[in-house]
Structure formats: C-alpha cells, structure tokens
Amino acid sequence: MRKKRFLLGAVALTAALAATGCGGTNGSQAADSAKTQADTGKDSGSQDSGNKDSGVKDTSKADEADRNISCTLTLATWDVAAAKTFEELDMEGRFQQLYPNVEIDIEEFNAEPEYFNSMKIRSSASELPDLMFHKSDSMNQYSEYLADLTDTEANKNNQIASEYAVDGKVLGIPDRKASDYVYYWTDMFDEAGVEVPETWDEFVEASEKLQEHFGPQDPDFGAICMGAKDAWPTYPLMEYGPAAQSGNGYYWDAMTTEDAPFAEGTDIHTVYGKIYDLFQKGVLGKDPLGITYDQSRALFAKKKGAMTLNSPMFLTAYKADGYDTAGMSTFYLPFRDSSQDEFNLVTQGDCFLTVTNNSENPEVAKAFLEFYFSEAWYPDYIASISSDSTMTPYAKELDPVLQTASELQPEVKFVTYGAGGSDFINMVSETKFDCKQLGVEMLTDGFDYAKRCEELNQTWTEARTKLGLK
C-alpha cells in the first residue's frame, strides 16, 4: 500500500510492505542475516570469508538488538529519482527482514532549495526527520543536529567519508561519488564539425561553432542547456571552477586567509573571468534565466541544445523521465589553458546519509544507516543509479554514457572537493557571497565584472576584520 502526505510542499511516500526476519544493530551483521535469508542454501561461511578479504569487518557474532521494536523512521531526501528507486527496490521490505515492525516513511522534496528551506525551519523547532540526506557543505551548517557516525561500519568501509569530517567527527556517509560531465550529442558535434575540446579555449570555440551552426535555424537553440533560473545549475562552473583552476579542492578555505581573494591574478578571478566571457557569447540561448533545470533537461532531450553540464544524477533523472540516451556521450569540462597542463578534475561525495539528534529511536536509525550501506541494500541500489560507489567492498562499472569521458581523458588529476569549513561558512554569512548566484548575476544585462570583484573584495576584507580571521 502506498500513502501520500504533504509536508511543507514535500510529498511523503510510505511503502507498507510486510516482511519477516531478524537482525541486529550492527550493519554488517544485518547484511549477513538478510543475505542469508534472501539466498537460502548459500554458504554463509564463504560470505564471511569474502568480507574479510575485502576489508569488511566480520561482525557475525555481534550482540543482537531488540528486533521486535515497533516504530516509524522518517527519511528525507530531495532526490526524486532516488526516492522512486527506494520504492522499486523495496527498501522498506528489505529492512523489515531485520526489523519487521519498523516502517520507513520517505519524505520526498522536489528540489534542493525547497528541501533545505524546510529543514532549516524544522531544525529550529527540533522537528528534523530521523534520517536525512545532506550535501557536503550543509553538514557543517547542521552539525549540532547530527549524530557522530565515526565508529559505524558504514564509515569504516567508505572510501571518502572521513575526508568530509566536521570538527573531527564523521557526520554523514556519502552514498555516491562523482565528477561532473559535459553531456553532448555526438551527431550534433559531427554535423557542426566540432571536436571534443581538451582546453578551455577549445570548449569556448566548440560552443560558438555549435551556436552558429544550429542557432540560425532554431531561435530557441542554446549550445549549452543550463536552467539558470534555478541558480544552482551554474555550479559546475561557478562552484567547481576555482578548485579546478587552482588544483586545490579546499580553495574556499584558502580564501578565508586572504583579504582580497577576488583580485586580478587570483585563481578565482581568472576562472570567473573565463566563465563570464563564455556567458557573453550567447551560447546559453536567448533566455537562460527564464529556463528552469527541468525545462533545460527537456530541451536537451529535444536537441534544442548540444551540451549540458551536470553530475551523474542528471543521467539518472534523464532515464527516469523516459528519454532515450542513444547518441549521447560525455567528456570532462576542461578548465586548463593548455593541453600540456594537468587536467584537474573535481570529484566529491554526494548524498550524505545522516542520523539526526531529533530521532526518538537513534539506535534503530543507525541500524538503518548500517543496513543502507551493507550488502543487503547498497550493491543493488548503487547499480541502479548512474553515480559511482563510495563503498570499498562494492565497486561498480559506470554507465557506458559516462565511461566515454574517462576513455577520452584517461589521465586526469582528481581534485577532492571540500565545500568549506566553519571560517568559510561564517564569511559567507557575513558577506552573503553565493557563487552560484554570482553566476546568475553574470547573465544579467549591465553586469560589470571588474566592479563586482572590487565590491566582493571590499566586503570580504571587512568581514575578515569583523570575524578576527588571520
């Protein structure tokens, strides 16, 4: 049975599918128990041996928790495609093999801004869900509301969770990792005589050639589809650009030590100047600020654009919409100036699952988190989405559409992205600096890049003085 309820604009989905089974609070034990029951007749001893070989801690003899506890866990997400997958793969039913009387109530939001606006209100009222997904930067902002997950098996087996620790504590476990891609239509590139670019100038040139070739016949064409009306789709350029330009994934933290980080000659001034010049060439179509992200995805599907910039989540949502991927390929966005320079590729964890301090059943919530990253759930889940695995025991092959990027550019320097620590968060609060919103400003008529950089430097200097940063 499927129920719907509405919470501050969110659609809450609850799957009430009955199942029986047993398990404990430890995630690896839960995985072993669920796997044994699901695959009756399989040698559980060989499974334990496999776990040991892959570095997974053997917890088959761990003490069991009260598996008969009756409660409802709420899980909030902004990822509509993931919420659909939770239902299709019967996440609740699988967890009920371990805790038969626990229901999972999924609160589904349509977009990140709506999600975090709601969570901000609920945090002040101590009404956060038991479990919620976070971005790498939002964990800093919600740290006082999140449980420490450092000692969980999910953390121990995760490749990158520790890199996003807040004040020495792991507060969230990323369920995916990814670099961003430029999705493109191979036939449109061929028709316009465009090669896959390897440098920034080549990327700009390719964008212009595509616009010049297809634009005259189609006034709604934009070489790059970008739903800038939502602001956040500018992030592959505006958020990751400074890290890619500098090769420093923690560029935001470095900025807090400078009085004038937007001065000419700095990496952020250089890369934002490149992006601004690109925006001035009209390659985003006639009205990028009038198009939402969902609309831009639909335009790309109709080949009203030749390229779009996004994460693997785009491909998951694209397929969920029922669009055909035939003829679609990818390449990495080149920020470098020369083909002889290192190809810096920003990569990061995403969709960090957290347990909140508001949970009335924190042990069960942690048991669910362990289950989520165990063999009982995670391998099937990560195989169903386009992003890469973060769990050492459960590697996966990327979607063929995404594999082409690494084939085209096999030698890259991975730059692990950090969203900024407490000093940067405080600076953002004082200065109101929003990199993605700055991208929107660049698309407005009359925008003066040099003047805006001067203004940003002034407010930055004043904020550092006020906060006493050195």
Side-chain angles (χ1 to χ4, degrees):
M1 179 178 179
R2 182 178 181 182
K3 297 186 294 183
K4 289 185 179 180
R5 62 187 176 86
F6 294 89
L7 289 172
L8 298 174
V11 180
L13 306 175
T14 305
L17 303 175
T20 59
C22 62
T25 56
N26 186 281
S28 292
Q29 178 186 358
D32 292 342
S33 299
K35 186 66 175 177
T36 301
Q37 293 179 0
D39 300 333
T40 55
K42 182 174 287 188
D43 180 4
S44 60
S46 67
Q47 178 63 44
D48 289 340
S49 175
N51 281 352
K52 289 177 182 177
D53 291 342
S54 61
V56 182
K57 182 179 178 181
D58 178 13
T59 57
S60 59
K61 297 182 180 180
D63 293 335
E64 287 189 350
D66 178 9
R67 60 185 175 85
N68 294 315
I69 187 172
S70 180
C71 65
T72 297
L73 295 178
T74 54
L75 168 63
T77 180
W78 66 84
D79 189 343
V80 176
K84 182 178 179 181
T85 302
F86 294 163
E87 185 176 11
E88 291 175 343
L89 296 182
D90 189 15
M91 182 172 70
E92 183 186 59
R94 294 191 189 197
F95 186 62
Q96 285 176 343
Q97 293 183 45
L98 310 173
Y99 289 83
N101 301 316
V102 176
E103 294 185 348
I104 308 299
D105 183 6
I106 302 175
E107 298 177 8
E108 176 190 341
F109 291 72
N110 292 325
E112 283 183 42
E114 176 190 354
Y115 174 84
F116 283 110
N117 286 339
S118 175
M119 294 303 151
K120 183 177 181 180
I121 296 170
R122 291 166 64 173
S123 66
S124 62
S126 298
E127 294 180 351
L128 287 171
D130 299 279
L131 301 115
M132 60 183 290
F133 284 96
H134 273 282
K135 305 293 287 186
S136 59
D137 56 344
S138 64
M139 287 189 298
N140 287 290
Q141 301 167 38
Y142 286 78
S143 60
E144 64 183 291
Y145 306 107
L146 304 178
D148 186 357
L149 304 175
T150 304
D151 293 332
T152 61
E153 292 302 309
N155 174 49
K156 294 172 185 177
N157 291 319
N158 195 277
Q159 299 168 353
I160 56 176
S162 61
E163 296 185 31
Y164 295 92
V166 179
D167 297 328
K169 298 178 180 179
V170 173
L171 302 180
I173 312 298
D175 79 357
R176 66 195 72 180
K177 67 178 180 181
S179 299
D180 275 34
Y181 297 84
V182 180
Y183 296 84
Y184 74 101
W185 294 115
T186 56
D187 60 339
M188 298 185 79
F189 268 48
D190 291 341
E191 182 178 333
V194 172
E195 300 288 337
V196 172
E198 295 187 5
T199 67
W200 179 262
D201 286 344
E202 290 177 0
F203 176 67
V204 175
E205 181 182 355
S207 302
E208 289 184 292
K209 288 183 69 174
L210 289 162
Q211 191 67 42
E212 292 169 358
H213 184 85
F214 294 102
Q217 303 99 298
D218 185 354
D220 294 325
F221 179 84
I224 303 173
C225 289
M226 181 178 293
K229 184 177 182 179
D230 289 329
W232 70 263
T234 66
Y235 83 89
L237 295 166
M238 301 301 296
E239 185 174 2
Y240 293 167
Q245 180 71 29
S246 64
N248 179 8
Y250 296 89
Y251 191 84
W252 300 130
D253 291 324
M255 282 177 59
T256 64
T257 66
E258 303 174 15
D259 276 337
F262 300 93
E264 188 172 352
T266 62
D267 287 313
I268 195 168
H269 184 282
T270 298
V271 74
Y272 279 1
K274 291 179 178 178
I275 296 166
Y276 175 63
D277 289 341
L278 173 70
F279 285 176
Q280 301 314 295
K281 298 183 182 298
V283 294
L284 272 63
K286 65 180 182 181
D287 186 23
L289 294 179
I291 298 173
T292 67
Y293 168 69
D294 288 341
Q295 290 172 328
S296 71
R297 188 168 68 237
L299 289 171
F300 180 71
K302 297 175 182 177
K303 297 191 176 181
K304 294 285 188 177
M307 297 182 287
T308 190
L309 285 56
N310 216 305
S311 73
M313 292 177 67
F314 167 86
L315 187 58
T316 301
Y318 188 91
K319 289 182 175 180
D321 288 339
Y323 294 129
D324 188 359
T325 61
M328 183 192 298
S329 192
T330 56
F331 62 88
Y332 297 131
L333 181 62
F335 284 95
R336 62 181 180 175
D337 296 317
S338 167
S339 59
Q340 304 305 310
D341 297 337
E342 284 188 312
F343 197 114
N344 292 332
L345 181 63
V346 177
T347 186
Q348 72 160 337
D350 199 5
C351 292
F352 292 74
L353 184 58
T354 67
V355 175
T356 74
N357 293 328
N358 290 157
S359 177
E360 295 181 358
N361 299 281
E363 293 305 317
V364 182
K366 282 191 176 181
F368 175 84
L369 179 136
E370 297 280 31
F371 152 80
Y372 188 93
F373 290 99
S374 75
E375 186 176 4
W377 169 256
Y378 187 77
D380 287 343
Y381 172 68
I382 196 64
S384 70
I385 66 175
S386 299
S387 301
D388 202 358
S389 170
T390 62
M391 301 300 289
T392 299
Y394 313 123
K396 66 166 285 186
E397 290 187 8
L398 290 179
D399 187 287
V401 171
L402 304 181
Q403 288 180 3
T404 56
S406 60
E407 292 168 0
L408 288 168
Q409 193 59 248
E411 295 182 5
V412 297
K413 176 187 175 183
F414 287 103
V415 178
T416 302
Y417 176 75
S422 57
D423 284 347
F424 180 72
I425 292 171
N426 292 334
M427 286 294 292
V428 167
S429 179
E430 285 292 327
T431 63
K432 310 303 178 187
F433 170 66
D434 184 330
C435 62
K436 294 180 281 290
Q437 190 60 43
L438 180 60
V440 171
E441 291 179 34
M442 289 182 179
L443 290 165
T444 59
D445 293 336
F447 178 82
D448 187 325
Y449 180 62
K451 181 180 179 180
R452 189 71 180 98
C453 287
E454 291 177 2
E455 294 171 349
L456 287 168
N457 278 331
Q458 181 177 346
T459 56
W460 202 264
T461 301
E462 293 172 352
R464 290 191 71 250
T465 300
K466 181 177 179 179
L467 294 173
L469 299 181
K470 297 180 181 180

